């Protein structure tokens, strides 16, 4: 049986004006049994439609801060410079995935973008806007546990991992603020921030705030998340 293809949103280097990729995203998908393909950085709708037609699912990676204009907010001085082409690109891809019921896994920026595209908002900078002693922007090694999350019951994530508490790595300064329409919370950090979401009525649209791409080699829960995504990609086209 041919392996399924996962389209991967590229990362963007402003200084080099170049796309790039953290290999863990690709290896995590490969370890779960699918073939990752890095998509072009473009907001050309026709080009994206042609590329997306070749895929069985979409991986929305980390990277730039989402533009606050996407959730009708003024940009804070603590918000990083956005990559507006990528913002528009992900909006187009996500809308196609929802329309075609293709699986989506959003990691870090990915959960934030899913929330925004469903009408939600973000904390533009956790230290400036959310009082907490929990470490959300850890230093290496990124395979270490930074804090715990509480996995909600019932939720698809609980059904997958069968635990209510999970130690996770953490490397972000923005986070879900107001939950988008049609989304369910699957996990919350020990200080109350939303850490995992799913979209109601979709085959598989999950957002995860932590980083399974760094930890999947050593952490079974990270491998299970990638595998659940890839399994959904198989089911969506079978």
């Amino acid at each position: 049986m041919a392996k399924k293809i996962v389209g991967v949103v590229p990362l963007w280097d402003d200084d080099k004006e170049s796309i790039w990729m953290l290999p863990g995203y690709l290896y995590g998908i490969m370890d779960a049994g699918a073939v990752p393909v890095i998509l072009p950085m473009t907001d050309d709708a026709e080009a994206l439609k042609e590329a997306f037609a070749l895929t069985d699912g979409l991986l929305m990676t980390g990277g730039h801060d989402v533009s606050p204009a996407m959730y009708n907010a003024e940009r804070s001085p603590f918000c990083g410079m956005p990559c507006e082409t990528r913002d528009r690109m992900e909006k187009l891809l996500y809308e196609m995935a929802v329309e075609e019921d293709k699986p989506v896994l959003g990691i870090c920026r990915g959960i934030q973008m899913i929330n925004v595209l469903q009408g939600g908002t973000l904390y533009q900078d956790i230290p400036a806007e959310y009082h907490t002693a929990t470490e959300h922007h850890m230093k290496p090694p990124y395979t270490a546990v930074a804090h715990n999350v509480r996995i909600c019951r019932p939720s698809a994530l609980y059904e997958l991992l069968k635990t209510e508490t999970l130690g996770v790595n953490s490397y972000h300064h923005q986070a879900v603020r107001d939950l988008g329409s049609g989304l369910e919370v699957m996990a919350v950090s020990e200080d109350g921030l939303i850490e995992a979401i799913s979209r109601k009525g979709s085959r598989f649209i999950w957002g995860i705030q932590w980083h399974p791409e760094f930890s999947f080699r050593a952490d079974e829960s990270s491998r299970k998340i990638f595998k659940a995504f890839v399994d959904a990609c198989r089911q969506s086209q079978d």
Side-chain angles (χ1 to χ4, degrees), residues 77-212:
F78 300 102
C79 181
M81 288 298 295
C83 177
E84 293 182 357
T85 297
R86 180 174 175 182
D87 289 343
R88 293 190 294 268
M89 171 185 176
E90 285 188 309
K91 182 176 186 295
L92 289 165
L93 288 169
Y94 184 76
E95 288 172 349
M96 286 188 279
V98 169
E99 181 179 356
E100 299 174 28
D101 200 21
K102 286 187 179 181
V104 178
L105 176 60
I107 296 176
C108 195
R109 169 193 160 98
I111 182 178
Q112 297 163 16
M113 179 58 84
I114 290 170
N115 188 60
V116 166
L117 293 174
Q118 292 288 148
T121 66
L122 303 179
Y123 290 107
Q124 294 187 40
D125 183 69
I126 294 170
E129 300 177 14
Y130 191 86
H131 180 70
T132 181
T134 298
E135 178 59 76
H136 288 284
H137 199 267
M138 68 190 294
K139 292 182 169 62
Y142 298 121
T143 53
V145 170
H147 63 78
N148 290 327
V149 299
R150 176 180 59 82
I151 299 178
C152 302
R153 296 183 65 177
S155 70
L157 188 60
Y158 177 80
E159 290 304 311
L160 176 69
L161 302 181
K162 303 298 186 185
T163 183
E164 294 183 1
T165 304
L166 183 68
V168 299
N169 54 13
S170 190
Y171 189 70
H172 61 109
H173 84 109
Q174 297 199 323
V176 172
R177 188 170 194 156
D178 299 308
L179 187 67
S181 175
L183 298 177
E184 295 180 317
V185 177
M186 296 199 296
V188 179
S189 62
E190 57 198 29
D191 58 351
L193 287 173
I194 294 172
E195 290 271 342
I197 58 176
S198 62
R199 185 180 187 275
K200 301 174 188 177
S202 292
R203 185 184 304 274
F204 186 107
I205 294 182
W206 287 17
I208 305 292
Q209 186 60 75
W210 60 93
H211 289 271

Side-chain angles (χ1 to χ4, degrees), residues 10-27:
L11 310 179
W12 178 254
D13 187 312
D14 290 305
D15 293 333
K16 296 180 180 179
E17 296 187 347
S18 174
I19 67 169
W20 66 287
M21 183 53 57
L22 287 165
Y25 290 118
L26 308 182
Y27 295 151

Side-chain angles (χ1 to χ4, degrees), residues 1-93:
M1 181 182 296
K3 293 185 176 181
K4 298 303 180 181
I5 305 296
V6 172
V8 181
V9 175
L11 310 179
W12 178 254
D13 187 312
D14 290 305
D15 293 333
K16 296 180 180 179
E17 296 187 347
S18 174
I19 67 169
W20 66 287
M21 183 53 57
L22 287 165
Y25 290 118
L26 308 182
Y27 295 151
I29 292 298
M30 293 171 68
D31 182 75
V35 177
V37 174
I38 301 173
L39 297 169
M41 179 67 76
T42 181
D43 57 3
D44 182 312
E46 287 304 312
L48 289 174
K49 184 176 181 180
E50 293 290 336
F52 193 62
L54 304 174
T55 72
D56 301 291
L58 175 68
L59 178 63
M60 296 170 68
T61 55
H64 283 68
D65 289 353
V66 177
S67 173
M70 295 195 71
Y71 47 98
N72 300 313
E74 294 292 325
R75 182 170 168 266
S76 157
F78 300 102
C79 181
M81 288 298 295
C83 177
E84 293 182 357
T85 297
R86 180 174 175 182
D87 289 343
R88 293 190 294 268
M89 171 185 176
E90 285 188 309
K91 182 176 186 295
L92 289 165
L93 288 169

